[in-house]
Amino acid sequence: MRYEVVLPAAGSGKRMGAGKNKLFLQLQDRPILIHTLTVFEQDANCTGIWLAVKPEERTFIQELLTAYGMTKVKGLPAGGEERQHSVHSCIKEMKEVDIVLVHDAARPFITQEIIVRLAQTAYEKGAAIAGVRAKDTMKKVTEGVITETVDRESLWVIQTPQAFRFDLIKEAADVAEKIGFLGTDEAMLVERLGHKVHIVESSYENVKMTTKEDLLFGEAILANRSR
Ligand code: C5P
């Protein structure tokens, strides 16, 4: 199933505390951004990559793309204040696509096996997102005191990629912009329209590089994969 992918890469990465875009930090021998891009460069089903970038980082990112031989990037539109705005600026530039994947540029360990299942499910059903089952006991807490132990069986930790039929995510993103609705992921925008979103079981390795400890996990995953 062919698809194009939107990679929001315009965050400030405050929680990483690196003093620069965390996507430029190295894991083993290359920047996180290049690890993520390489997955899609190597996937024959991926027909185009859209990168949302900060305007002041565009030239540097273009230099990285050239240095690492990345050939599939179709556009680098300016990102926005929130991740949702960054994704939307890419969607506005896309045309004649059936399936769109939205994937955090900060999740470099996504595998083609999961991508295929997401794209196929989105093609058949409209919307499919990656997630893993909650491993820990989950409780609700108010002012430091437990108010409820939540049934873990129905709880999933949601990741990206999130895959959609193009017309569906375009409508959902346009409506959200029009009414000023801000979601924490793209699926929320589609859920708002009353459309079913399906879950595809992903991997615990598909972590988002968010804080400094995540870089340690990242190095360990890469070392394990190259063994
Ligand atoms: O901050 P967080 O790690 O949750 O961001 C997820 C992804 O969204 C990152 O790849 C980041 O660069 C991107 N992002 C963006 N525009 C924003 C905020 C985040 O493109 N305004």
Side-chain angles (χ1 to χ4, degrees), residues 104-115:
D104 293 325
R107 290 186 192 267
F109 305 115
I110 187 62
T111 61
Q112 290 196 3
E113 187 261 324
I114 296 165
I115 292 171

Side-chain angles (χ1 to χ4, degrees), residues 52-216:
V53 301
K54 286 188 182 169
E56 64 271 27
E57 292 175 349
R58 188 177 281 119
T59 306
F60 178 65
I61 289 178
Q62 278 168 327
E63 284 166 8
L64 279 182
L65 297 178
T66 307
Y68 286 94
M70 302 285 136
T71 59
K72 287 190 185 172
V73 175
K74 287 190 165 178
L76 298 97
E81 196 166 327
E82 302 291 339
R83 182 185 166 286
Q84 181 179 317
H85 304 136
S86 300
V87 170
H88 199 192
S89 68
C90 292
I91 289 173
K92 282 177 181 167
E93 294 203 8
M94 299 171 82
K95 8 185 140 49
E96 293 168 33
V97 188
D98 288 333
I99 299 297
V100 177
L101 262 64
V102 178
H103 183 60
D104 293 325
R107 290 186 192 267
F109 305 115
I110 187 62
T111 61
Q112 290 196 3
E113 187 261 324
I114 296 165
I115 292 171
V116 165
R117 285 194 282 132
L118 283 161
Q120 190 61 37
T121 310
Y123 180 72
E124 288 162 12
K125 296 177 173 165
I129 65 176
V132 287
R133 291 170 196 276
K135 287 200 254 191
D136 299 322
T137 296
M138 310 292 277
K139 295 184 192 279
K140 280 192 182 166
V141 180
T142 307
E143 292 173 4
V145 177
I146 310 299
T147 53
E148 191 187 336
T149 299
V150 188
D151 176 19
R152 195 174 51 195
E153 282 304 297
S154 61
L155 288 184
W156 288 71
V157 178
I158 299 307
Q159 307 172 337
T160 66
Q162 304 201 341
F164 308 93
R165 278 193 213 129
F166 178 66
D167 49 356
L168 179 59
I169 187 60
K170 172 130 183 63
E171 183 192 354
D174 288 350
V175 169
E177 180 178 68
K178 201 167 159 199
I179 65 167
F181 177 81
L182 198 59
T184 47
D185 68 355
E186 278 56 55
M188 265 180 91
L189 314 186
V190 170
E191 289 160 35
R192 264 202 75 262
L193 297 184
H195 202 289
K196 277 191 185 148
V197 176
H198 295 260
I199 190 105
V200 164
E201 188 151 16
S202 173
S203 157
Y204 293 101
E205 284 195 0
N206 183 26
V207 286
K208 180 154 62 76
M209 297 296 106
T210 306
T211 58
K212 285 221 154 64
E213 311 77 72
D214 294 323
L215 300 175
L216 297 176

